[in-house]
Amino acid sequence: MATFSSTHCPSYSYPSSIKGGKNQRLAFSSSFPRLSVPAEAKFFLQSQTSSHQNAVLMQDGAVATKVNPVEKETPLKKLKNELLSVTSSEEWDEKGCFDINENESTVSITVVGASGDLAKKKIFPALFALYYEDCLPKHFTVYGYARSKMTDAELRNMVSKTLTCRIDKRENCGEKMDQFLKRCFYHSGQYDSEENFAQLDKKLKEHEGGRVSNRLFYLSIPPNIFIDAVKCASLSASSGNGWTRVIVEKPFGRDSESSAALTRALKQYLAEDQIFRIDHYLGKELVENLSVLRFSNLIFEPLWSRQYIRNVQLIFSEDFGTEGRGGYFDHYGIIRDIMQNHLLQILALFAMETPVSLDAEDIRNEKVKVLRSMRPLQLDDVVIGQYKSHTKGGITYPAYTDDNTVPKDSLTPTFAAAALFIDNARWDGVPFLMKAGKALHNKRAEIRVQFRHVPGNLYNRNFGTDLDRATNELVIRVQPDEAIYLKINNKVPGLGMRLDRSNLNLHYAARYSKEIPDAYERLLLDAIEGERRLFIRSDELNAAWALFTPVLKELEEKKIIPEYYPYGSRGPVGAHYLAARYSVRWGDLGVDQ
Ligand code: NDP
Ligand code: BG6
């Protein structure tokens, strides 16, 4: 099978975007100079990339274009080499912008809040997976930072419990784990202590051993301490001669005002291009594939508009409640937790116009444009729900308000359905329906595209009265069991004329033997490599909040009571009425999903 690979990291590749972005800030301080890639160099890079393409015969007989892999060459090194051939050495003689020589630079990754749930569950395992796949630079160190008292050995012990191996290389897993753990260290400190961060800085310097030091801080802490930690890290532990980047976890505020205040506060200490706002859904394989599907297949893009698409559905469901995170959740609710970020990001990628290039800024510009073309969500177009206790098979499942950290009279929605509209030429009048809920009957995330009826369909009578059942539907199943399938009508073989629904199915597990990387792996690697494409820019965030803030305020001010639904059910019936108002049926609840 043909692979499209251009980096040393076997599981990862970029088509043409410039690693490191257009502008690289060298440290927290705004006094450092900016380096930007000149337009002619960028053009040169793009033409270089396309010249690598040639035709290859795939195993299944198809012919595909292939980008020749450049073994053991990091994208940054490649970029540097190519740039050197079009720019004078003086122009590029500023240290620390690119990894000129891997041996001379080091990356220190500090997980702030290392004792917490996310760090254990996602961040350390993702870092190990990257190490396992040889995706981390030669010189790297991982530091855990939190208030809890722990030794390096205790941190390693804690981390080792959550590390897993990739199935395809299991034989040397234990060895790799030991090697990885030896590069993990711990520093105990307060989040608001410059002194404690200065101690961390000292330890980092010892590991960096005089090399160009690049530093990544991952803020895996509750949002009320983001700014303290950023301030202290910035003032006491930013890199003196390399880049410093900060990954910020959601929530990015809880409405337009608080989000803007957070951005303002972050920008007191960081430049925008040092801030990597993470939305882990953007790191999911099928969300990444959305643009490939749209822009590298002739058959989809011409259909991607109001002319052929009847409605688009973005569906998220979990078959468990807020378990353990009720305290956090009650302050946010499902609209902020899932819709305003994960589902809206997918919508933006789905609906944006073709970007000028795959460069991060070009893609994010298009996402902002489509978000700004959307109508703020109206209260009439929202249904909210909350799960209640339910007994099934002798087991009693708790209500949302049974969680000790949730007030008994909480009205926080654990389910929401919404109809959104994009007022632009491409999508005018097409409902984009979102549905997100906890404690439902299954765990799933998917995009459903329902196409229009075939005009004057010769076979109408073969479908009876239910024409909806005969429309084509494209389903992009983000998880679990990743798949892309297109529902089509075909004739049942035989002498009669009976029509049937079938799926043209790209089922990932059947097509690819390789395990799909976790979203956090992709995003961490991107942050290390300075690739911003999958991170949220502040104007994107503002546009996203502008759509949801008015309705969130109204729901809270009017104390709208959610529709209660049993734990493990299909959610409130109100979601069906909302869809029906726009002549839509939820695709995930049909007979042939
Ligand atoms: P935790 O509640 O586990 O907090 C992480 C660490 O922060 C704790 O181990 C604790 O470390 C410290 N901490 C917790 N509360 C406080 C406090 N009030 N004051 C000071 N320090 C505190 O958070 P998670 O790991 O669950 O999440 C981290 C971030 O990631 C949050 O912003 C969250 O919203 C986000 N997130 C989490 C997800 C998850 O699945 N957990 C999913 C998506 C986003 P110590 O006491 O040792 O200092
Ligand atoms: C997080 C939400 O962002 O995403 C959680 O805060 C949710 O409430 C989680 O459970 C779902 O992520 P995934 O990757 O398991 O679908």
Side-chain angles (χ1 to χ4, degrees):
M1 198 197 71
T3 55
F4 296 75
S5 169
S6 63
T7 84
H8 69 296
C9 173
S11 63
Y12 213 64
S13 63
Y14 287 94
S16 73
S17 71
I18 298 179
K19 291 297 179 62
K22 283 177 182 168
N23 298 307
Q24 288 279 41
R25 260 254 145 81
L26 302 182
F28 274 110
S29 156
S30 57
S31 61
F32 279 88
R34 257 173 198 273
L35 275 183
S36 54
V37 178
E40 65 278 17
K42 189 176 150 193
F43 173 76
F44 175 80
L45 273 178
Q46 284 169 346
S47 49
Q48 282 292 96
T49 311
S50 55
S51 71
H52 282 307
Q53 294 189 348
N54 53 24
V56 293
L57 192 66
M58 295 171 75
Q59 259 172 15
D60 53 10
V63 176
T65 49
K66 179 189 172 202
V67 178
N68 286 339
V70 183
E71 291 295 334
K72 289 285 168 202
E73 191 176 25
T74 65
L76 295 184
K77 263 168 68 186
K78 180 164 176 275
L79 175 65
K80 179 71 188 171
N81 290 340
E82 288 167 333
L83 286 170
L84 281 174
S85 63
V86 286
T87 49
S88 74
S89 58
E90 285 109 63
E91 278 175 82
W92 294 97
D93 199 21
E94 295 191 58
K95 262 188 155 184
C97 179
F98 301 116
D99 287 348
I100 298 165
N101 183 344
E102 241 190 18
N103 290 322
E104 287 171 10
S105 71
T106 151
V107 175
S108 304
I109 303 154
T110 302
V111 182
V112 182
S115 56
D117 181 58
L118 187 73
K120 282 186 259 193
K121 222 170 51 185
K122 293 288 184 187
I123 305 170
F124 286 111
L127 287 170
F128 172 61
L130 290 176
Y131 175 70
Y132 197 34
E133 297 271 346
D134 293 328
C135 291
L136 290 183
K138 184 171 165 202
H139 301 290
F140 79 92
T141 307
V142 177
Y143 252 90
Y145 185 101
R147 295 171 309 176
S148 302
K149 298 279 173 245
M150 250 192 280
T151 60
D152 291 343
E154 282 163 342
L155 173 90
R156 288 172 189 164
N157 184 38
M158 180 193 90
V159 169
S160 68
K161 291 186 180 135
T162 55
L163 302 187
T164 52
C165 299
R166 292 249 174 259
I167 30 178
D168 53 345
K169 283 192 200 167
R170 192 158 274 171
E171 64 287 356
N172 65 348
C173 183
E175 205 181 299
K176 281 277 201 180
M177 262 188 203
D178 287 346
Q179 289 164 1
F180 174 76
L181 290 169
K182 278 188 194 141
R183 297 171 81 158
C184 295
F185 302 87
Y186 184 73
H187 184 72
S188 166
Q190 300 294 323
Y191 302 108
D192 59 356
S193 164
E194 286 181 39
E195 195 190 331
N196 292 166
F197 274 93
Q199 290 157 357
L200 171 74
D201 179 63
K202 206 164 154 236
K203 288 187 179 174
L204 292 179
K205 280 195 176 115
E206 281 164 23
H207 289 280
E208 289 160 355
R211 296 186 183 90
V212 171
S213 74
N214 296 315
R215 293 186 180 176
L216 178 66
F217 291 86
Y218 195 128
L219 296 191
S220 182
I221 44 177
N224 56 321
I225 46 176
F226 281 174
I227 298 305
D228 282 342
V230 163
K231 178 181 170 199
C232 296
S234 141
L235 298 177
S236 305
S238 62
S239 166
N241 59 2
W243 52 253
T244 302
R245 297 177 187 143
V246 179
I247 298 182
V248 187
E249 262 293 349
K250 57 173 274 218
F252 313 118
R254 58 188 306 283
D255 51 28
S256 292
E257 293 80 39
S258 52
S259 168
L262 175 66
T263 300
R264 272 197 306 276
L266 287 172
K267 286 190 178 175
Q268 279 184 279
Y269 306 104
L270 301 169
E272 174 66 27
D273 56 9
Q274 290 180 285
I275 307 171
F276 287 67
R277 294 180 193 82
I278 208 165
D279 182 315
H280 76 283
Y281 264 64
L282 290 181
K284 293 201 184 257
E285 188 63 42
L286 269 80
V287 177
E288 263 267 82
N289 193 35
L290 199 49
S291 298
V292 179
L293 193 73
R294 279 187 70 188
F295 302 126
S296 79
N297 291 296
L298 184 68
I299 58 164
F300 292 118
E301 198 49 24
L303 304 181
W304 225 250
S305 72
R306 64 191 302 277
Q307 210 177 341
Y308 296 105
I309 291 179
R310 207 153 48 105
N311 69 78
V312 181
Q313 303 176 15
L314 301 140
I315 300 173
F316 168 97
S317 67
E318 278 181 340
D319 55 1
F320 48 88
T322 53
E323 277 124 61
R325 292 187 75 219
Y328 149 81
F329 191 87
D330 201 62
H331 195 49
Y332 291 93
I334 199 81
I335 297 178
R336 294 182 178 93
D337 191 45
I338 303 293
M339 281 189 173
Q340 180 271 349
N341 38 60
H342 303 330
L343 296 188
L344 192 64
Q345 283 298 320
I346 297 179
L347 185 151
L349 285 175
F350 180 96
M352 69 183 184
E353 296 299 318
T354 313
V356 173
S357 79
L358 292 170
D359 185 87
E361 299 321 318
D362 290 332
I363 293 175
R364 298 194 294 184
N365 288 345
E366 291 307 328
K367 282 167 69 194
V368 174
K369 265 161 64 184
V370 78
L371 292 176
R372 291 184 55 207
S373 305
M374 290 177 71
R375 238 180 271 168
L377 182 57
Q378 305 295 307
L379 190 59
D380 276 356
D381 282 330
V382 181
V383 170
I384 57 168
Q386 189 186 89
Y387 64 89
K388 60 181 184 185
S389 172
H390 180 59
T391 303
K392 195 175 167 194
I395 302 171
T396 300
Y397 297 89
Y400 170 64
T401 50
D402 288 338
D403 185 326
N404 290 334
T405 57
V406 172
K408 288 283 165 254
D409 58 352
S410 171
L411 297 178
T412 300
T414 58
F415 175 98
L420 290 128
F421 294 88
I422 304 173
D423 290 332
N424 67 12
R426 188 190 280 260
W427 296 114
D428 192 8
V430 177
F432 282 76
L433 292 180
M434 285 185 182
K435 186 165 69 161
K438 292 196 175 263
L440 293 172
H441 73 298
N442 64 9
K443 177 167 166 55
R444 180 185 287 200
E446 61 188 15
I447 308 163
R448 286 179 173 263
V449 189
Q450 295 186 343
F451 291 90
R452 293 196 181 280
H453 299 157
V454 175
N457 192 335
L458 289 174
Y459 294 96
N460 270 354
R461 64 191 175 85
N462 299 70
F463 300 116
T465 51
D466 193 354
L467 277 184
D468 281 358
R469 281 212 58 214
T471 61
N472 297 116
E473 186 175 16
L474 175 69
V475 182
I476 299 166
R477 192 161 64 220
V478 176
Q479 65 184 33
D481 203 16
E482 292 81 351
I484 301 172
Y485 55 95
L486 179 64
K487 292 188 194 172
I488 57 152
N489 302 307
N490 61 289
K491 178 183 168 300
V492 177
L495 297 178
M497 177 53 74
R498 203 154 59 78
L499 297 198
D500 193 15
R501 297 279 279 162
S502 300
N503 290 346
L504 299 181
N505 195 353
L506 165 57
H507 182 217
Y508 274 53
R511 179 76 176 97
Y512 302 104
S513 56
K514 195 159 170 47
E515 195 182 325
I516 292 179
D518 187 77
Y520 283 85
E521 292 170 36
R522 190 187 307 280
L523 295 169
L524 270 160
L525 183 60
D526 277 1
I528 292 168
E529 297 200 332
E531 169 61 59
R532 292 170 180 78
R533 197 167 44 105
L534 300 179
F535 294 89
I536 319 288
R537 214 167 58 185
S538 62
D539 52 349
E540 258 185 275
L541 186 60
N542 295 344
W545 276 121
L547 296 175
F548 286 92
T549 295
V551 83
L552 285 164
K553 286 221 160 91
E554 217 175 331
L555 283 166
E556 280 157 16
E557 278 161 17
K558 293 186 174 161
K559 295 192 186 329
I560 305 282
I561 297 174
E563 196 177 322
Y564 295 95
Y565 60 97
Y567 193 118
S569 68
R570 287 164 188 263
V573 75
H576 299 274
Y577 293 124
L578 175 66
R581 190 170 346 134
Y582 294 105
S583 310
V584 175
R585 252 186 242 185
W586 292 105
D588 61 325
L589 302 178
V591 275
D592 56 343
Q593 297 175 35

